[in-house]
Amino acid sequence: MASEWIVLFAVLAPVAFGLLTLWLPRGWIEPRMVLATAGPAIAFAMLLNTAIDNRSALQAQHDYAEAQASHNDHAHGDEHDNSHAAEDASGHHGHADSPADHHSESVHADADAPAPPTTGVLPWMPSLNINIAFLTDGLGLFFGLLVSGIGTLIMLYARGYFGRAGPTSADDLYRFYPTLGFFTTAMLGVVLADYTLLTLLFWEMTSISSFLLIGWDRYDKKAVKLAMQAFFTTGLGGMGLFGGVLVFGNATGYWRWSEMLTHSDELTAQLQHVGEHPQLLWAFVLMFIGAGTKSAQFPFHYWLPGAMAAPTPVSAFLHSATMVKAGVFLVGRLFPVFAALELFPLVIIPLGAVTMLYGGVVALQQHDLKRIFAFTTVSQLGLLMAMYGVGAIDYHGQPAIDYDVTQIANHALYKAPLFIAAGAIGHVLSRDITQLNGAFYKHPAICGTMMAAALGLAALPGTISFQAKELFLYGVYHGIEAGNVVLWIVLVMTVLTAVCNVAICVRVWTTLLGLPGGMREEHGEPDHGHHHEHAHEHGLLAHLIWLPGALIVSLQFVGGVFPKLAWSRMLGLFEQPATAHNYFASHYGGLPNLTELSIGTPLICSAIAIVLGVIVGLAKPLRGSIGDFADRIYPAMYWLSVTGGGRCFRLIQTGNLKHYLLFVLGALLLGFTWAVQVDLADNDGGMLAALSSDTAGNLFEYWPGILLGLIVCLTAVLIPMTEVRIVRVLFLGACGFAVVGLYLVYQAPDLALTQLMFEIISVILFVIVLRLLPREKLHTIKLGNKAWRLVLSCVVGGVFGWMTLIAASTDRSATNPGKYPLGKTMAQHSYGNKDGLDTAMAGADGPELRGGGGTNVVNVILVDFRGFDTLGEITVLGIAAMGVWSMMPHRRRRDGRTAKPNNTEQPGVTA
Amino acid sequence: MSSSILRTAMGLIFPLTLLFAVYMALKGHNQPGGGFIGGLIAAVALVMVRMSHGRDVMASVMPFHPRLLIAGGLAMAGVTGVVPLLFGHPLLTSRAPYVHLLGEAIHVPTALFFDLGVLMVVVGVAAGMIFRLGGEVDPA
């Protein structure tokens, strides 16, 4: 198994190298590009090495299991032989953890399920269940290689896109590489992290970096707004995921994905009777909200087309190939366990299918190339979701669908080149498809890349895309055969979506080649907004604007034409289907071979889609540029939450100090009343008894205390009844000094001393501050409307006195061993009864305790066993002093007069 | 606010008050006192010098900005809290050993250093606020 340090290094390499580029001088664009590219490239190499290691390790394990099991597996019959054939053809055996694997356990019941290949654990916050560990199973490694591989090429493309000669290109690249490196690291973390909360952490980091990259043009208000839209939407999903992870962890005690996978049998049993474990249902629903928003599923899909405000390298990387697939990845992670949930297909299939068809239909009616491809991305994400939903329907003990990795790889391998070419053509000509008639003859390389990638979009034979679509159609058809008639609807929707995709491909080809039937200007207003004029570059580096796309798209055709190669060298590293599909006459590890297709429903569906697609693509209607009605969802939600939230906010936050005090004190009284009630009902009623305890009796009989208390009350009442501020301050001081006297007569000398010093300083401060205030307006005090406030004050004061009595007198040590009264507990913690001090109070009845070792309880509380509080308090003091120094203007008047504050209308403190 | 009687008396009172402040802080662990009280006492002494002698004398008595006291105090308290971590104890763990000096066993809790940090912060905050706000009403 891989070392955790190696994977950690691979995850952190992109951001580390991205940050290193900041050390280079601004003008050094090419060294910067090389350095930034090194990060994801290193990550790619290390992850590839890990994948190969994993495969050979697992293969050895698998061979051993085969040898053990070969005696007694005849009972399984044909099915097993078939899978042997498939494995032999692909030349290897091992695979740990494709979603299918857990289903395959029912087939290969004789072999133990291999443990998920986790790395070691680096402790980080063990008490919070967050540690650093990685799960390098097939799904995670596949995504990791996808992210780092495409990331490497996008780093190169960014150089071509931003160019050398543009006015801002040096500045753009300066910021771009670190930000993109940050995203790459975050995305690698999401797919490789083993701890659920670590995944969540990286998940939020992808949202943040996506926000930064969408709002790349800081001065474009619209882009910033769209960035916020994307951030809020995916952030909402992040909260859902957070809640889901917490609920799952609390319900099951599993905080690692690998734990979830190893205990899948137990969890599956629980999920099949989810009525008894409602928490698991909630965990799934919340996590699915995270997955659905991130992967732009139907009601939340609006942010993805909006995210096209980002520079094209970002669109190609984040918003088509990797980040939007994080939701799909999450569902793939959950699939082996949560597929047992009855709700799983019922939620995911309809949502995915609707997203799929809706995205396709809207994409057909766009003019901006990036918007076209954005909506097809939405459509494809819907298909991927629906795929997992279909896979969850279990037929005859085997999943209806495999090859999720093939499906995901296929989309990345044509969508990223489409975006790369769209950005490139937007640089040299325009991104509006109606402006591009005959563009192929001017820019053959860029247009050739786009046309080749469009073939993948259309899923024509000869591409991996075709194989993936066949497999999906077969999965749905398999479901129908097994008697699930509703899936006919899904089949029809898939075909309709395929029609839209083929039509888009046809339009791209006819337009770029200038053939009849292409898009022309008369179909709508030309959109000049997306054209950025850049000086044309020459030389090798100029080709970076299309070369990465061509490299990526070539894999589509290599894999499509040579499925055996694709399987053994690329996709087979990551997944191992449970069962070979008998439907395909020839299958290399499951990928259908182009030359040996057998006629059946899936193939007929594909043929229908292609024929209809060509007709629709050449037809005149459906060529307008329409808006997406869902673009209004976000503004409506935003308005509702901001305006509605503001209204609610105003109900509570009136801005009036009296109201705030009323709320606080009212809540205090209610809470106290409730506590007394509970105490009387469920406990010994000690809170009420405190009023008649000996402590209370002693207080009421000691006449110096009563006298001083009366002085305190009198001065307190006099403060609001006087008019002149300075007199009020003096009354306040008198009140404070009376309290000093109270401390003295009740034998608390250090409290008295502290209070005395404090009173002196506060009176001086008040006098100084009052002289800075504007002249006060004298007005007569009316007691009438203050009567009820007086009552409230008296009640609150009484309650506080009561609380003090409770703290001083309640003793429950008889019924609760070890629970001493407050005073005794404090004394015990201060003295300790272990280290030989005079322990009069903390006698033998307490537990062995090494306290603060001091006899001044107040001081030991402050500096020793509650020292952390004090540390916080002195920090706050320092911050307050800094506030005074920075906010109070340091003006000195040399003429001896008092400086006048600027704002003379500001009301006084006591008004 | 400057009277000659106060001014003369302050020459004697001020050092004594500061000494008393330190004394209060040092004995705080077992007897009434502590860093907070000590800090307040010292702050009152400084304020009185400021009132009797004016800003310029004050500047010679305390030739640095009070924020240095705050920073130093916070650092001292923070370091006292962090040091136990180095020995594998929780934050702010204290020991109360006896130091034998000239034949006397003196009780020196490590919390004392924390307390001195508190003293410095309190002096810095109280004195600093009053100086800044009082700058407005200075009689030339």
Side-chain angles (χ1 to χ4, degrees):
Chain A
M1 298 300 127
S3 156
E4 62 274 21
W5 287 105
I6 289 179
V7 184
L8 183 65
F9 184 80
V11 167
L12 292 182
V15 72
F17 280 84
L19 288 175
L20 279 182
T21 62
L22 294 175
W23 288 66
L24 298 175
R26 282 200 165 227
W28 290 18
I29 291 182
E30 277 74 33
R32 174 165 292 141
M33 174 190 79
V34 172
L35 196 58
T37 310
I42 289 173
F44 184 81
M46 295 174 95
L47 292 177
L48 192 64
N49 190 31
T50 310
I52 292 168
D53 278 1
N54 273 1
R55 191 183 63 167
S56 39
L58 282 166
Q59 186 167 348
Q61 196 179 345
H62 193 91
D63 289 345
Y64 176 74
E66 291 280 302
Q68 294 286 308
S70 59
H71 310 291
N72 55 352
D73 69 343
H74 299 293
H76 294 287
D78 272 348
E79 210 169 39
H80 203 90
D81 289 346
N82 269 342
S83 84
H84 272 274
E87 283 161 358
D88 292 343
S90 61
H92 74 85
H93 301 261
H95 171 59
D97 214 79
S98 109
D101 238 35
H102 289 278
H103 289 271
S104 76
E105 281 168 29
S106 55
V107 181
H108 298 269
D110 42 25
D112 286 339
T118 53
T119 64
V121 178
L122 299 174
W124 181 15
M125 289 184 261
S127 56
L128 294 178
N129 296 310
I130 306 179
N131 292 314
I132 297 174
F134 298 99
L135 177 58
T136 53
D137 68 339
L139 190 66
L141 276 179
F142 161 70
F143 264 97
L145 287 172
L146 186 75
V147 170
S148 51
I150 293 188
T152 309
L153 293 172
I154 292 294
M155 293 283 183
L156 296 175
Y157 173 61
R159 161 67 186 80
Y161 180 84
F162 286 111
R164 174 161 203 111
T168 60
S169 56
D171 181 50
D172 275 338
L173 285 175
Y174 186 74
R175 289 194 292 140
F176 190 76
Y177 280 137
T179 320
L180 209 62
F182 174 59
F183 165 75
T184 314
T185 288
M187 193 63 211
L188 286 174
V190 167
V191 298
L192 290 171
D194 190 14
Y195 278 84
T196 50
L197 287 169
L198 196 63
T199 302
L200 177 88
L201 188 76
F202 286 116
W203 181 282
E204 297 292 350
M205 275 163 64
T206 62
S207 291
I208 292 169
S209 54
S210 160
F211 165 77
L212 290 175
L213 289 164
I214 296 170
W216 185 250
D217 189 350
R218 291 169 286 185
Y219 306 107
D220 182 352
K221 286 227 169 71
K222 195 159 172 266
V224 172
K225 211 170 163 184
L226 290 168
M228 303 252 285
Q229 169 178 323
F231 184 66
F232 284 144
T233 310
T234 52
L236 176 78
M239 299 226 288
L241 177 62
F242 191 18
V245 163
L246 289 183
V247 170
F248 181 77
N250 278 322
T252 60
Y254 302 143
W255 296 93
R256 299 174 70 166
W257 297 118
S258 56
E259 286 177 340
M260 182 186 90
L261 295 175
T262 27
H263 296 90
S264 67
D265 289 346
E266 167 204 336
L267 289 172
T268 303
Q270 288 186 4
L271 283 164
Q272 275 161 352
H273 305 97
V274 80
E276 297 155 27
H277 306 275
Q279 279 177 314
L280 287 178
L281 184 67
W282 282 111
F284 167 69
V285 169
L286 286 170
M287 287 198 253
F288 184 68
I289 290 174
T293 48
K294 198 77 164 179
S295 280
Q297 294 303 297
F298 174 59
F300 297 113
H301 67 279
Y302 53 82
W303 73 264
L304 183 54
M308 294 301 137
T312 309
V314 176
S315 308
F317 190 22
L318 274 71
H319 302 126
S320 69
T322 56
M323 189 187 84
V324 290
K325 297 222 179 69
V328 175
F329 165 81
L330 183 66
V331 173
R333 263 278 176 265
L334 298 177
F335 178 79
V337 170
F338 281 89
L341 196 64
E342 209 176 326
L343 196 70
F344 190 90
L346 295 184
V347 169
I348 291 185
I349 298 180
L351 258 184
V354 167
T355 311
M356 173 174 75
L357 186 57
Y358 182 83
V361 170
V362 177
L364 193 61
Q365 305 179 57
Q366 299 295 320
H367 283 179
D368 179 6
L369 280 175
K370 275 180 82 172
R371 273 183 80 81
I372 295 176
F373 300 145
F375 278 105
T376 58
T377 306
V378 170
S379 166
Q380 183 73 20
L381 290 169
L383 185 140
L384 292 173
M385 281 286 178
M387 169 191 79
Y388 279 115
V390 172
I393 305 176
D394 209 285
Y395 307 105
H396 319 304
Q398 65 187 67
I401 205 153
D402 283 327
Y403 310 105
D404 50 335
V405 165
T406 309
Q407 298 277 356
I408 293 161
N410 136 57
H411 178 240
L413 292 182
Y414 73 76
K415 193 54 63 64
L418 276 179
F419 272 108
I420 287 174
I425 200 79
H427 260 10
V428 292
L429 285 171
S430 165
R431 249 167 50 196
D432 186 346
I433 192 170
T434 60
Q435 303 286 307
L436 294 175
N437 210 303
F440 179 76
Y441 307 110
K442 290 183 217 159
H443 302 282
I446 296 171
C447 294
T449 307
M450 190 186 297
M451 284 152 65
L455 290 179
L457 175 66
L460 292 182
T463 58
I464 297 184
S465 193
F466 171 73
Q467 301 164 338
K469 194 136 295 180
E470 283 288 291
L471 286 165
F472 181 75
L473 287 168
Y474 174 70
V476 177
Y477 180 65
H478 188 159
I480 295 167
E481 271 188 329
N484 220 323
V485 190
V486 190
L487 287 178
W488 273 114
I489 301 173
V490 179
L491 195 72
V492 172
M493 286 169 94
T494 315
V495 172
L496 287 177
T497 313
V499 168
C500 294
N501 288 346
V502 173
I504 289 166
C505 171
V506 168
R507 283 185 191 170
V508 167
W509 274 71
T510 50
T511 308
L512 293 182
L513 290 173
L515 296 177
M519 302 285 280
R520 281 170 211 284
E521 260 188 57
E522 68 255 30
H523 298 302
E525 282 293 302
D527 186 355
H528 295 292
H530 301 295
H531 181 51
H532 313 283
E533 192 61 58
H534 276 248
H536 292 255
E537 280 193 274
H538 296 285
L540 185 65
L541 288 169
H543 296 297
L544 280 180
I545 204 163
W546 63 271
L547 209 53
L551 272 176
I552 298 174
V553 79
S554 61
L555 292 177
Q556 272 280 349
F557 296 98
V558 173
V561 179
F562 308 106
K564 186 172 175 180
L565 188 70
W567 186 255
S568 61
R569 293 280 163 240
M570 286 161 56
L571 303 169
L573 279 176
F574 312 110
E575 61 179 352
Q576 180 68 48
T579 53
H581 284 179
N582 296 324
Y583 165 72
F584 297 108
S586 169
H587 41 74
Y588 292 107
L591 293 189
N593 191 350
L594 197 56
T595 54
E596 299 172 59
L597 292 172
S598 57
I599 309 292
T601 309
L603 196 64
I604 294 172
C605 283
S606 288
I608 293 174
I610 290 170
V611 172
L612 279 179
V614 172
I615 295 172
V616 172
L618 295 175
K620 288 284 166 197
L622 294 176
R623 296 202 157 194
S625 173
I626 62 165
D628 177 6
F629 83 90
D631 282 346
R632 282 179 223 129
I633 293 178
Y634 175 76
M637 272 166 49
Y638 187 81
W639 183 87
L640 203 67
S641 49
V642 171
T643 314
R647 295 267 158 80
C648 297
F649 185 75
R650 273 283 143 215
L651 286 180
I652 302 167
Q653 302 288 337
T654 57
N656 190 332
L657 195 59
K658 291 172 197 156
H659 294 168
Y660 291 138
L661 261 181
L662 184 67
F663 290 146
V664 172
L665 297 180
L668 178 94
L669 289 183
L670 278 180
F672 187 74
T673 315
W674 177 76
V676 173
Q677 289 290 335
V678 170
D679 187 53
L680 273 179
D682 302 340
N683 215 325
D684 59 355
M687 292 178 80
L688 202 60
L691 281 182
S692 53
S693 65
D694 289 347
T695 320
N698 291 343
L699 286 182
F700 290 130
E701 281 165 18
Y702 190 54
W703 66 266
I706 294 173
L707 199 65
L708 282 162
L710 282 178
I711 294 175
V712 171
C713 294
L714 185 70
T715 46
V717 171
L718 281 175
I719 292 168
M721 296 182 68
T722 45
E723 294 175 31
V724 187
R725 285 177 193 143
I726 198 80
V727 181
R728 291 183 180 190
V729 171
L730 293 179
F731 274 128
L732 197 62
C735 187
F737 281 110
V739 174
V740 171
L742 267 180
Y743 285 143
L744 275 178
V745 297
Y746 286 111
Q747 295 160 13
D750 52 350
L751 282 189
L753 200 55
T754 311
Q755 177 84 17
L756 186 69
M757 290 299 137
F758 180 77
E759 286 301 328
I760 291 171
I761 288 184
S762 69
V763 167
I764 294 175
L765 259 179
F766 261 124
V767 170
I768 291 171
V769 170
L770 286 187
R771 291 186 63 174
L772 302 178
L773 291 177
R775 188 174 293 279
E776 57 197 319
K777 290 192 200 102
L778 296 181
H779 51 85
T780 48
I781 309 283
K782 293 195 205 75
L783 251 183
N785 57 357
K786 289 188 177 170
W788 65 273
R789 280 186 232 152
L790 201 66
V791 173
L792 182 70
S793 310
C794 290
V795 174
V796 170
V799 163
F800 269 96
W802 189 355
M803 286 185 189
T804 315
L805 276 179
I806 293 169
S809 67
T810 309
D811 186 353
R812 286 180 182 149
S813 53
T815 49
N816 299 326
K819 299 247 175 198
Y820 299 105
L822 192 62
K824 196 168 179 180
T825 310
M826 292 297 175
Q828 204 176 37
H829 277 90
S830 301
Y831 297 178
N833 53 8
K834 195 179 167 189
D835 50 359
L837 281 167
D838 177 23
T839 53
M841 278 190 76
D845 58 340
E848 184 98 329
L849 195 70
R850 203 207 71 79
T855 51
N856 180 357
V857 178
V858 175
N859 187 255
V860 178
I861 292 174
L862 281 178
V863 300
D864 199 315
F865 66 90
R866 304 296 297 177
F868 201 54
D869 293 354
T870 311
L871 193 61
E873 280 155 17
I874 57 178
T875 312
V876 170
L877 261 185
I879 293 169
M882 272 190 275
V884 169
W885 284 320
S886 55
M887 283 190 283
M888 294 297 294
H890 195 83
R891 286 168 299 148
R892 285 179 180 166
R893 303 288 295 241
R894 282 283 165 191
D895 54 6
R897 279 190 296 131
T898 308
K900 264 192 178 173
N902 289 334
N903 187 2
T904 47
E905 292 181 13
Q906 190 182 4
V909 180
T910 50
Chain B
M1 206 35 195
S2 74
S3 77
S4 53
I5 298 175
L6 182 63
R7 209 178 303 167
T8 314
M10 272 316 287
L12 193 62
I13 294 173
F14 179 64
L16 282 180
T17 321
L18 282 190
L19 208 62
F20 183 61
V22 175
Y23 168 69
M24 287 300 279
L26 289 182
K27 74 176 186 135
H29 209 58
N30 286 330
Q31 287 159 36
F36 193 68
I37 304 174
L40 286 175
I41 293 172
V44 169
L46 287 170
V47 169
M48 281 175 75
V49 170
R50 173 72 172 71
M51 288 197 303
S52 62
H53 286 73
R55 182 190 303 122
D56 295 337
V57 176
M58 187 62 230
S60 64
V61 170
M62 200 167 93
F64 49 85
H65 196 281
R67 67 182 160 221
L68 282 181
L69 275 176
I70 299 178
L74 276 180
M76 193 156 172
V79 168
T80 315
V82 171
V83 165
L85 289 179
L86 302 181
F87 299 100
H89 298 292
L91 192 75
L92 282 166
T93 307
S94 72
R95 286 260 174 269
Y98 286 86
V99 175
H100 293 277
L101 197 70
L102 301 173
E104 296 275 332
I106 304 173
H107 183 210
V108 184
T110 54
L112 181 67
F113 301 101
F114 187 86
D115 217 6
L116 289 179
V118 173
L119 181 143
M120 286 163 75
V121 173
V122 171
V123 175
V125 171
M129 277 190 184
I130 287 173
F131 295 165
R132 167 53 66 90
L133 296 171
E136 304 276 339
V137 286
D138 199 54

